[in-house]
Amino acid sequence: MGQSLICDPEELRDLFLFEKLNDEQLAWLCKDGRVERFEPGLVYREGDPGTCFYVLMEGEVRLTKMSGGEEIELVRTDHHGSYSGAWTAYMGDKVDQHYAGSFYVTKPSKFFVLDAGVFSKMMQEWFPMAVHLLEGVFFGNRNANERIGQRERLLALGSLSAGLTHELNNPAAAAVRATSALRERVAGMRHKLKMMSQGKFDSATMDALAGLQEEAAAQVAKAPTLTPMEAADREDELGDWLEAHDIRNGWDIAPTFVQAGFDIDWLEKVHGTLTGCEGAVFEGAIRWLNYTVETELLMNEIADSTTRISTLVNAAKQYSQMDRAPFQVVDIHDLLDSTLVMLGRKIGDDIQVVKEYDHALPAVPCYAAELNQVWTNLIDNAISAMSGHGTLTIRTYREGDCAAVEIGDTGPGVPLEIRTRIFEPFFTTKPVGEGTGLGLDISFRIVVNKHHGDIRVESEPGDTRFIVRLPLEGSSDAVAPENIETASPAS
């Protein structure tokens, strides 16, 4: 409570909020309101019940808001008539009636003060039509934000679903093709085995051949990775060897043996083991071993494809946080990785993804599914900014008591003149029809309002970084971002 002073109606008339009021109304304000002088210090604190409406008559004030565990100054002004406090009191319990920021006096200042209830009564009695209009604008904008925000989320979900379907289709189709080819190879093995059983093989040779088959199957799993040039040279060598040993179409067989990591020494070993077996019998043995290698390679392909499908499904579950509590303590890198998987098709082959993760970063208490929406919005914007070509950098590190996540791109950057507006609802730099301007607004509300964190942008041509800071200590008592309204700072 400040020092009480005499209220002069004529002095109130000098304030732009009251300049159109008549003498009777100004007298009423002086009767039910009060003039107070405050020394430098705190007037009200963020989160306290909104009990008073303040109008600056002289002096200087600053309005702050908590972000990422730090108090950030939003406004500092000495403008005559600036107002703050319980300015939405006239809407009653339809909106949250707590101070949205902290209010400080920086030098001795004088205010006209109205209790919230008195201010509400004044507005409703004197300006009933204005109250209805203001309520219409306030709730209309909020409902529009919610509706368009829902549509934005549905559109994003549709895009992600299409991308995921495409990503799932590739390994699924590969598994189907490999299964069909495997069936053919197994049938070929049965046919060759029948032919070999009618050949001149004694039991010792058959035993050795079975050992070679086991060796061939085991070798596939540890085949070395060759460069295209090395593979081509080895295929030429094996093709010449097979042709020299009267194996028909040996050039068709050679690539399979090379892919499995075999060389001429191994073929010589096979030839030595099957001494005495020439012509069609030896060729049958070689083709039987080739079928063995092919079946192993195809089974590896099927295993890789099904593993890829499983990975995509797990990433989708991680991204959607299906069957998980809304508020949880998670490894932030799992959320980032699942988002990158979901956006894999959109990222494409011409954007290089660089991950600079600090794996020593502690787990973060958060609403995981909603943070995934933030990462989706930021990464999607970065992709759009680079027009499909560039480097996307995801960096994590600890900054004080917060976990910091940077989403960087090599696009043209955010011009300085619009940098302060990019988190505003409906503000977009994309062409008409390509963006609603709600992605960053939604991200801001999720990070700042729901997680009590901070989101900012640092940009220059070729290096734009959106930096999200999340407190490493949090609670699950935060309300949904769509139910939080940020009061206008001193105007």
Side-chain angles (χ1 to χ4, degrees):
M1 178 77 67
Q3 176 190 0
S4 294
L5 303 175
I6 296 175
C7 180
D8 180 0
E10 288 305 314
E11 193 174 11
L12 293 186
R13 197 188 300 276
D14 288 339
L15 302 172
F16 70 88
L17 286 177
F18 307 138
E19 62 185 0
K20 299 297 183 182
L21 300 183
N22 58 39
D23 292 342
E24 182 182 353
Q25 290 172 323
L26 291 172
W28 185 93
L29 285 177
C30 274
K31 173 178 173 293
D32 288 342
R34 59 189 181 273
V35 175
E36 293 184 17
R37 180 174 295 279
F38 287 82
E39 294 301 317
L42 178 70
V43 178
Y44 62 74
R45 188 174 300 282
E46 178 180 351
D48 289 344
T51 57
C52 294
F53 176 71
Y54 297 86
V55 183
L56 180 65
M57 300 177 74
E58 62 180 54
E60 184 182 69
V61 298
R62 57 190 289 262
L63 187 68
T64 68
K65 190 169 181 64
M66 294 300 294
S67 177
E70 295 182 11
E71 199 168 16
I72 306 299
E73 182 174 304
L74 302 179
V75 174
R76 181 185 292 261
T77 182
D78 60 359
H79 181 65
H80 189 62
S82 295
Y83 61 89
S84 191
W87 66 278
T88 58
Y90 60 87
M91 286 188 276
D93 58 6
K94 296 177 184 177
V95 300
D96 179 43
Q97 294 296 343
H98 289 79
Y99 292 125
S102 296
F103 196 56
Y104 294 88
V105 169
T106 59
K107 59 185 179 182
S109 302
K110 185 167 72 172
F111 294 90
F112 175 71
V113 184
L114 277 177
D115 289 338
V118 176
F119 177 60
S120 175
K121 180 181 177 182
M122 180 200 78
M123 290 290 292
Q124 292 171 2
E125 290 184 1
W126 293 1
F127 313 109
M129 181 176 177
V131 167
H132 289 307
L133 290 172
L134 288 170
E135 285 183 346
V137 171
F138 185 89
F139 293 111
N141 282 341
R142 190 166 76 176
N143 292 337
N145 283 354
E146 291 177 0
R147 291 287 298 275
I148 296 178
Q150 290 171 355
R151 182 175 183 275
E152 179 112 333
R153 288 190 283 270
L154 285 174
L155 289 173
L157 180 61
S159 176
L160 290 173
S161 298
L164 180 61
T165 302
H166 178 81
E167 291 291 333
L168 286 170
N169 182 66
N170 287 338
V176 169
R177 289 193 302 269
T179 302
S180 176
L182 180 61
R183 183 175 289 111
E184 294 177 3
R185 300 307 185 272
V186 171
M189 284 184 69
R190 291 197 300 267
H191 176 68
K192 290 300 177 186
L193 184 60
K194 180 180 179 181
M195 290 179 60
M196 288 167 57
S197 67
Q198 297 171 351
K200 299 178 180 179
F201 289 104
D202 55 28
S203 59
T205 304
M206 286 296 292
D207 250 3
L209 189 56
L212 289 171
Q213 184 183 35
E214 292 296 327
E215 182 183 324
Q219 173 62 29
V220 172
K222 52 187 179 183
T225 301
L226 302 176
T227 66
M229 185 65 71
E230 289 172 337
D233 290 343
R234 187 170 292 188
E235 285 173 14
D236 289 342
E237 293 173 0
L238 266 62
D240 291 339
W241 189 94
L242 292 168
E243 185 178 5
H245 288 76
D246 299 324
I247 306 298
R248 290 176 297 108
N249 300 320
W251 299 104
D252 295 332
I253 299 174
T256 303
F257 284 139
V258 170
Q259 189 177 352
F262 295 119
D263 53 20
I264 290 179
D265 290 341
W266 186 80
L267 291 178
E268 290 288 358
K269 179 179 178 181
V270 173
H271 187 258
T273 301
L274 300 178
T275 301
C277 301
E278 301 295 339
V281 176
F282 179 68
E283 181 175 348
I286 289 292
R287 292 191 181 279
W288 185 52
L289 291 173
N290 180 69
Y291 281 134
T292 298
V293 173
E294 284 188 314
T295 56
E296 289 296 321
L297 291 172
L298 288 169
M299 284 191 288
N300 284 350
E301 186 175 343
I302 293 171
D304 290 342
S305 299
T306 52
T307 299
R308 174 63 177 162
I309 292 172
S310 178
T311 300
L312 287 167
V313 171
N314 287 336
K317 289 177 67 177
Q318 171 69 258
Y319 180 83
S320 66
Q321 295 295 298
M322 186 169 60
D323 301 328
R324 302 185 186 188
F327 189 86
Q328 51 188 304
V329 179
V330 300
D331 184 341
I332 206 76
H333 305 109
D334 291 340
L335 305 184
L336 291 166
D337 286 340
S338 67
T339 304
L340 288 171
V341 169
M342 295 297 289
L343 291 172
R345 186 186 181 198
K346 198 163 191 176
I347 293 173
D349 297 328
D350 295 327
I351 291 180
Q352 179 186 4
V353 178
V354 176
K355 299 179 186 179
E356 297 179 4
Y357 289 172
D358 177 7
H359 288 288
L361 200 62
V364 178
C366 64
Y367 293 87
E370 296 189 33
L371 276 188
N372 279 336
Q373 189 177 355
V374 174
W375 312 141
T376 299
N377 290 336
L378 296 182
I379 293 173
D380 184 65
N381 284 350
I383 295 168
S384 298
M386 293 186 287
S387 301
H389 300 271
T391 300
L392 174 68
T393 303
I394 316 293
R395 181 181 295 110
T396 65
Y397 53 91
R398 182 164 186 160
E399 189 175 300
D401 293 330
C402 293
V405 178
E406 284 188 12
I407 310 294
D409 67 71
T410 54
V414 181
L416 183 61
E417 59 269 21
I418 67 170
R419 210 168 292 171
T420 58
R421 299 188 58 200
I422 58 175
F423 294 107
E424 293 179 7
F426 306 109
F427 180 80
T428 179
T429 58
K430 295 179 181 178
V432 176
E434 291 187 18
T436 62
L438 284 179
L440 290 178
D441 170 56
I442 291 170
S443 299
F444 181 89
R445 287 189 285 128
I446 289 173
V447 172
V448 176
N449 295 345
K450 191 155 190 177
H451 289 87
H452 310 299
D454 176 46
I455 181 171
R456 62 183 185 272
V457 62
E458 296 177 1
S459 182
E460 59 183 44
D463 181 19
T464 296
R465 288 173 289 142
F466 280 85
I467 304 167
V468 175
R469 295 196 308 158
L470 300 166
L472 290 170
E473 293 184 5
S475 63
S476 59
D477 60 353
V479 295
E482 56 269 24
N483 295 328
I484 295 177
E485 300 298 336
T486 303
S488 175
S491 61

